[in-house]
């Protein structure tokens, strides 16, 4: 009897094992071939794209999971996700309100149709979004929060049903998708300014730094003066200079060799410098009437000559600096 019982038990275990194995195969087969519609994104469901000034188009990618293409057309209706940015801010910054991301204003983007058709035989589709970045603040993070509202077939992903499209700004000189740095070398001298004539009774000091550059227009960047740095957004706005490189206006700049003026000149794109913000507590700046500021596109070098002071200070600083774009 014991032998028969053992045989029965072994047979039952073998049967259960075969049944479980068969179920697992069916389960993994279903998982492998099941179609789920999702929005392509990275960590925290964020997808970043660069946009150029003057209007640009971005593409939000949609994807159907599974090892085979779709068997039928799938109409995907998307909409704005009114809660995604708030959830992101609470999760990542809590009460650090200065770090909060903002929703891109309605007037800065347009979508021709919020419906996208993913064709049978394919597993990708794209939602075009037209974006204008010209008036955006350089230190803010902007998102377009999008989610899948419904699909005509298959399933919506339980995790990738929404995405935060981060709007990065770029121009010829910098991008916000990653930090853009220029290597800066130069000199500064403190003194006074009377009728645009600079005077000083102290020696000129050497300065150098790895300088963060932020795009703020089609041909404009924002920088801190000389070797100044700050992590406070309000201070950065107050102290930042707006440097504009003319697109088609050129100047002939004198050439110095080992600090000695030569008879040679080289063509540079004209550069103008002004405060980034127009307010009573912003930096004051005037361009040097002696040296010529310009940009050399062949070497990606910016030559700046200016004087600046903060309203809270009576001291002026005469600055000469050369900025060369750092290797990425």
């Amino acid at each position: 009897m014991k032998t028969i019982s053992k045989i029965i038990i072994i047979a039952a275990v073998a049967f259960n094992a075969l049944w479980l194995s068969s179920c697992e195969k069916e389960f993994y087969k279903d998982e492998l071939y099941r179609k789920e519609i999702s929005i392509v994104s990275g960590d925290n469901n964020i997808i970043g794209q660069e946009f150029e000034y003057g209007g640009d188009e971005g593409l939000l990618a949609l994807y159907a999971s599974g090892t085979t293409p779709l068997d039928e057309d799938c109409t995907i209706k998307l909409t704005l996700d009114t809660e995604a940015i708030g959830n992101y801010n609470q999760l990542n910054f809590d009460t650090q309100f200065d770090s909060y991301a903002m929703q891109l204003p309605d007037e800065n983007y347009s979508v021709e149709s919020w419906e996208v058709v993913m064709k049978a035989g394919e597993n990708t589709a794209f939602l075009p979004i037209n974006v204008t970045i010209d008036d955006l603040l350089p230190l803010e993070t902007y998102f377009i929060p999008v989610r899948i509202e419904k699909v005509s077939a298959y399933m919506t992903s339980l995790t990738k049903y929404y995405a935060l499209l981060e709007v990065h700004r770029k121009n010829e000189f910098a991008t916000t998708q990653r930090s853009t740095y220029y290597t800066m070398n130069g000199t500064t001298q403190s003194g006074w300014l009377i009728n645009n004539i600079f005077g000083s009774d102290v020696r000129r000091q050497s300065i150098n730094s790895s300088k963060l550059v932020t795009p703020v227009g089609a041909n404009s960047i924002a920088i801190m003066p000389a070797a100044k740095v700050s992590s406070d957004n309000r201070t950065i706005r107050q102290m930042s200079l707006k440097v504009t490189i003319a697109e088609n206006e050129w100047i002939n700049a004198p050439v110095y060799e080992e600090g000695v003026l030569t008879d040679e000149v080289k063509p540079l794109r004209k550069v103008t410098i002004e405060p980034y913000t127009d307010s009573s507590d912003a930096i004051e700046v005037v361009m040097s009437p002696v040296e010529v500021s310009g940009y050399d596109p062949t070497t990606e070098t910016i030559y700046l000559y200016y004087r600046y002071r903060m309203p809270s200070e009576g001291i002026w600083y005469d600055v000469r600096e050369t900025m060369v774009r750092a290797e990425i």
Side-chain angles (χ1 to χ4, degrees), residues 1-17:
M1 288 294 294
K2 288 184 179 180
T3 301
I4 295 174
S5 297
K6 287 181 179 179
I7 292 172
I8 293 173
I9 292 171
I10 291 171
V13 169
F15 174 80
N16 286 333

Side-chain angles (χ1 to χ4, degrees), residues 59-73:
L59 294 173
L60 193 69
L62 299 151
Y63 176 73
S65 65
T67 57
T68 59
L70 298 187
D71 300 319
E72 60 180 292
D73 288 358

